[in-house]
Amino acid sequence: MAQTGKRDYYDVLGVERNASEDEVKKAFRKLARQHHPDLHSEPDKKKAAEEKFKEAGEAYEVLSDAERRQKYDMFGHAAAGQGGGGQGFGGGGFGDVFGDIFEDFFGGGRGRSRAEQGNDLQYNLEISFEEAISGKEAKLKIPRWEICDTCQGTGAKSEQSVKACSACRGAGQIRLQQGFFTINRTCGQCQGSGKIIADPCKSCRGQQRVHKERMLSVTIPAGVETGMRLRLSHEGEHGANGGPPGDLYVALSVKAHPHFVRKGQDILYDRRLHFVTAILGGKVDVPTLNGNTMVKIPEGTQHDQILRLKGLGAPSLKAQTRGDQLIRIKIDIPTKLTLKQRELLNAFAEESGLDADNEGEGLFDKVKNLFD
């Protein structure tokens, strides 16, 4: 290679001669950030950084272009545009790389203020056990930011109150000279909108939105459970600069019931029975979510046995089906007996071939075991 006093481009970027296009790009981005002139305030350091920044850009311009890189590999700097940098930094996607770097340093600077989607909101709603099973229509008061009705979101008292920004002349950007190249930066005076409001709207004070409380009617479907969320599209906060509103999520929690416990689509109820009813059978009154109903107790019903009432459980959210009400039997054993009751039970035990005084087995267990 002919010697020109310039450093080898591969050495400048710190990559091998067989480096891939991606490796070249990454090396340049790293150097560009490291030596960007705006990172240095002292004149000497700023000037040195600018030279290194320019050197890295010149090297990348050549090595990022396949054709120019091939010629450089064969003939050195003599083939790279008589010292390089003669192409205006236009090859090999150079603009894309600098676009990324400018975004890092200057926050994008790509034009007028963009529309921003409004925030999503969440409303925590507690409902009763019965409401979760049957569903309900709920009225919610939602505080949120909404587009100002007075100015229709312009932030100005009138159309005449909106003036073009004097700093950027309505462009939303200011053109800056950074060393050897020119960039556009978001205007700090109008924040990229290109407009200045001379006389703000009195309702929103130029903020385009106002804080309000909105009443919403929400349908709670039958069969919901704690932890479920309902989504109401576009019922969140209104967006800035004409952006779309966010969504509203209604997070549900179901209060505990004093008698019922939900098990999936089934509803569990514990029914206490006198041990005589469990032995002889009978009919008992059982509460359900549809009112009380009489349930037949079979003879010899056991402790913790489950009886089932079909179709009296919770509805499914996905199909036209309902669960059942489960009646779990809890047998009550009397703790105090009259003399007559004790005589009768001893007679029952004797008739059944049981020894009521046998250690290790109480009378309840003996009676219960008759039906095992």
Side-chain angles (χ1 to χ4, degrees), residues 337 341-367:
L337 300 174
Q341 290 170 334
R342 185 175 296 278
E343 289 175 352
L344 291 173
L345 283 175
N346 283 328
F348 173 80
E350 184 177 347
E351 180 69 20
S352 303
L354 299 174
D355 182 3
D357 296 326
N358 185 27
E359 292 184 2
E361 188 176 55
L363 179 60
F364 166 72
D365 292 324
K366 297 170 186 175
V367 175

Side-chain angles (χ1 to χ4, degrees), residues 184-239:
N184 289 330
R185 182 175 182 177
T186 300
C187 177
Q189 182 167 308
C190 66
Q191 303 302 317
S193 67
K195 299 177 294 183
I196 294 294
I197 299 175
D199 192 1
C201 169
K202 293 183 179 179
S203 297
C204 66
R205 299 179 182 179
Q207 299 302 309
Q208 304 177 352
R209 299 181 298 171
V210 292
H211 202 259
K212 289 185 176 181
E213 287 188 338
R214 174 175 170 81
M215 291 298 299
L216 292 177
S217 179
V218 180
T219 300
I220 309 298
V224 297
E225 297 184 71
T226 292
M228 291 184 173
R229 294 203 309 171
L230 306 178
R231 177 186 175 190
L232 282 70
S233 298
H234 308 304
E235 291 294 349
E237 291 188 339
H238 288 193

